[in-house]
Amino acid sequence: MNTVKKSVSQLKREAIIEAAKKMFKEQGVASTSMDKLAEVAQVSKRTVYNHFATKEALVMYLLGEFWLEAISFNQGVYDPDQDLLIQLREIILTEIGVINSVEHIDMARLIIGHLFYSCEQMSQEIEKMKQHETATLRWIKAAQADGRITVKDVQHANQQMMHLIKGQAFWPQIMACDPLLTEDEKRHLAHETAKMFLSRYQ
Amino acid sequence: MNTVKKSVSQLKREAIIEAAKKMFKEQGVASTSMDKLAEVAQVSKRTVYNHFATKEALVMYLLGEFWLEAISFNQGVYDPDQDLLIQLREIILTEIGVINSVEHIDMARLIIGHLFYSCEQMSQEIEKMKQHETATLRWIKAAQADGRITVKDVQHANQQMMHLIKGQAFWPQIMACDPLLTEDEKRHLAHETAKMFLSRYQ
DNA sequence: CAAAGTAAACTATATGGTGTAGTTTATTGT
DNA sequence: ACAATAAACTACACCATATAGTTTACTTTG
């Protein structure tokens, strides 16, 4: 019933947003003209400008949208009684699930494509992203506090882990448009990463 | 003497190339107009077009240029009599030297900025780059053949190492315009990476 | 003098954004 | 149930600006 009730205006707006997501992702913001956008959304150009004052406003709206979709806090808790490999593997797998999701990759591509030459803003966005790589960090700290792993620089160790993950589950998708990982690939990556990490720090 | 003798035409050409390198790197190809380029190079626009038929031709020339500069094959040889950590660290350090050089980062930024939305071409360029990550691979194979490390999937292990390196010596410079690593940072990264690798596979 | 450079105007096209006049849709008072 | 009204949509012309590339008429230089 909620789906039927949408006003025309609401529908148009959604069409615009969908079209923008699609075009911006595929061709980038700069090479997507507002005319083309309106055409894809099957909406008059004027309507686009009725909903979003400028192109930049549309882009900014999308950035906000994507953040909401992409950022799911994952809570992985350290368990002193369970095998380290098993629980780390699980935590990593969840992290991969976030990083390697359509939403996250789409958002990252939008941001990178749009801000590639604006180092300042890009750095900020990257900071934002990094603040969500916190589940693994907490786990490392907990395991460290429990004395089951020995890490000198906790931040650095966490970064190493993230690099191992992103090298396979993020950068190839961002740069070469590689397909998302299959569940098997995710599990394998989680396993290998956990093993490497523990080999070093356990 | 070589520096004095250059013809005016040659000088102009170089000025154009320098300006293009600079502008393309800083603002990207798309946002650098040929007018602006000529202005920066302190050369008339027509002269630019005398040397390069189109903007794309200029870009392509630069891509070639950068490849020549950036690609130095590094030969690191496995030594059966030396400590593994010491020699691996050395090889990694050389690899970092290549990846984290101005030339390599500049080239990568040019390519990525220009081809970000052309997945096909981008993939090709990435392939090219990867074919030069061969020194570490050779070393791993040799050490493996010598029985001093135990790696099931050699390619994958090499990738893991590269991810650890690039996570710190490539992506931050590409994306957030972080400064190049200092010699100390390079050594530290090489050490940490080698340690992690050997912890896992020795 | 011939090759190369220069400034400046010019062409053709694309694009972000606006203005207008007319049409559709939803709401509301009777 | 229905006409009136406001809001939103459409088509389309229009403006200002930008940009790749060309042409021209003139100058510099080896």
Side-chain angles (χ1 to χ4, degrees):
Chain A
M1 36 204 69
N2 209 347
T3 55
V4 184
K5 207 169 83 175
K6 283 170 186 161
S7 72
V8 172
S9 187
Q10 214 30 250
L11 286 175
K12 299 278 172 185
R13 186 186 175 86
E14 279 164 25
I16 293 167
I17 290 167
E18 278 315 303
K21 273 188 193 177
K22 187 175 178 238
M23 302 298 290
F24 288 173
K25 184 175 65 176
E26 286 173 8
Q27 316 190 353
V29 176
S31 350
T32 303
S33 73
M34 294 299 264
D35 288 276
K36 187 71 190 170
L37 190 76
E39 187 194 320
V40 171
Q42 300 207 63
V43 141
S44 84
K45 187 173 158 186
R46 212 63 183 76
T47 300
V48 177
Y49 278 100
N50 276 344
H51 284 283
F52 301 94
T54 67
K55 194 184 191 183
E56 194 58 21
L58 176 53
V59 174
M60 285 310 158
Y61 173 81
L62 283 190
L63 278 187
E65 267 274 281
F66 276 139
W67 270 115
L68 287 183
E69 281 180 38
I71 298 308
S72 53
F73 278 93
N74 76 41
Q75 297 285 354
V77 187
Y78 171 75
D79 177 351
D81 299 323
Q82 203 186 7
D83 180 60
L84 281 184
L85 179 61
I86 293 181
Q87 51 180 310
L88 180 54
R89 216 161 48 181
E90 207 50 43
I91 294 214
I92 293 178
L93 192 59
T94 323
E95 191 67 35
I96 294 177
V98 175
I99 287 184
N100 197 254
S101 66
V102 209
E103 299 82 27
H104 189 264
I105 297 289
D106 281 358
M107 176 188 66
R109 270 189 71 85
L110 180 65
I111 292 177
I112 292 173
H114 191 51
L115 302 181
F116 191 67
Y117 296 105
S118 320
C119 296
E120 274 311 310
Q121 289 178 67
M122 182 80 114
S123 301
Q124 286 178 356
E125 294 294 328
I126 290 178
E127 260 333 288
K128 273 198 221 167
M129 284 197 217
K130 273 197 187 151
Q131 279 168 10
H132 292 274
E133 298 166 2
T134 184
T136 50
L137 184 61
R138 269 200 315 273
W139 188 89
I140 294 174
K141 281 180 183 167
Q144 160 92 323
D146 197 27
R148 289 173 79 193
I149 60 177
T150 315
V151 186
K152 266 181 234 148
D153 185 340
V154 181
Q155 297 286 344
H156 179 251
N158 188 47
Q159 275 186 32
Q160 288 183 305
M161 202 153 73
M162 293 310 298
H163 293 160
L164 286 170
I165 297 173
K166 288 188 183 172
Q168 231 172 294
F170 182 70
W171 295 118
Q173 286 75 21
I174 295 294
M175 291 295 148
C177 303
D178 277 10
L180 296 182
L181 300 182
T182 65
E183 288 309 310
D184 272 356
E185 287 169 333
K186 286 183 193 172
R187 270 196 301 277
H188 183 248
L189 173 57
H191 177 75
E192 287 301 322
T193 305
K195 271 219 102 168
M196 185 161 238
F197 185 87
L198 291 178
S199 302
R200 173 77 229 266
Y201 294 114
Q202 196 168 13
Chain B
M1 39 205 68
N2 209 345
T3 55
V4 184
K5 203 169 85 175
K6 284 169 185 161
S7 72
V8 173
S9 187
Q10 214 28 251
L11 285 174
K12 300 277 174 186
R13 186 186 175 87
E14 278 164 26
I16 294 167
I17 291 167
E18 277 316 303
K21 273 187 191 175
K22 186 174 178 238
M23 303 297 291
F24 288 172
K25 183 176 66 176
E26 286 173 10
Q27 316 190 354
V29 177
S31 344
T32 303
S33 75
M34 295 301 264
D35 288 276
K36 187 73 191 168
L37 190 75
E39 187 193 318
V40 170
Q42 300 206 64
V43 140
S44 83
K45 191 172 157 186
R46 200 61 186 85
T47 300
V48 177
Y49 278 100
N50 276 342
H51 285 283
F52 300 95
T54 68
K55 192 185 192 183
E56 194 58 21
L58 176 52
V59 173
M60 285 311 157
Y61 172 80
L62 283 189
L63 278 188
E65 267 274 282
F66 277 139
W67 270 116
L68 288 184
E69 281 180 38
I71 298 308
S72 53
F73 278 93
N74 75 43
Q75 296 285 354
V77 187
Y78 171 74
D79 177 351
D81 300 322
Q82 202 185 8
D83 180 59
L84 281 184
L85 180 61
I86 292 180
Q87 52 179 312
L88 180 55
R89 217 162 47 181
E90 206 51 43
I91 294 214
I92 293 179
L93 192 58
T94 323
E95 191 67 35
I96 295 177
V98 175
I99 288 185
N100 197 255
S101 65
V102 209
E103 299 81 28
H104 189 262
I105 297 288
D106 281 359
M107 176 189 65
R109 271 189 71 85
L110 181 66
I111 292 177
I112 292 175
H114 190 53
L115 302 181
F116 190 68
Y117 295 106
S118 320
C119 297
E120 274 310 311
Q121 290 177 67
M122 182 79 118
S123 301
Q124 286 177 357
E125 295 293 329
I126 289 177
E127 262 330 291
K128 274 197 220 169
M129 284 197 218
K130 274 196 186 153
Q131 279 168 12
H132 291 274
E133 299 167 3
T134 184
T136 51
L137 184 61
R138 270 200 315 271
W139 187 90
I140 295 173
K141 282 180 181 166
Q144 160 93 322
D146 197 25
R148 290 173 78 193
I149 61 177
T150 315
V151 186
K152 265 181 234 149
D153 186 339
V154 182
Q155 298 286 345
H156 178 253
N158 188 48
Q159 275 186 32
Q160 287 182 305
M161 202 154 73
M162 293 310 297
H163 293 158
L164 286 170
I165 297 173
K166 288 187 182 173
Q168 233 173 292
F170 182 70
W171 294 118
Q173 286 74 21
I174 295 294
M175 290 296 148
C177 304
D178 277 9
L180 296 182
L181 301 182
T182 64
E183 289 308 310
D184 272 354
E185 286 168 333
K186 286 183 194 172
R187 269 197 301 278
H188 183 247
L189 174 58
H191 177 75
E192 287 301 321
T193 306
K195 271 218 102 166
M196 186 161 237
F197 186 86
L198 290 178
S199 302
R200 172 76 229 266
Y201 294 114
Q202 196 166 13

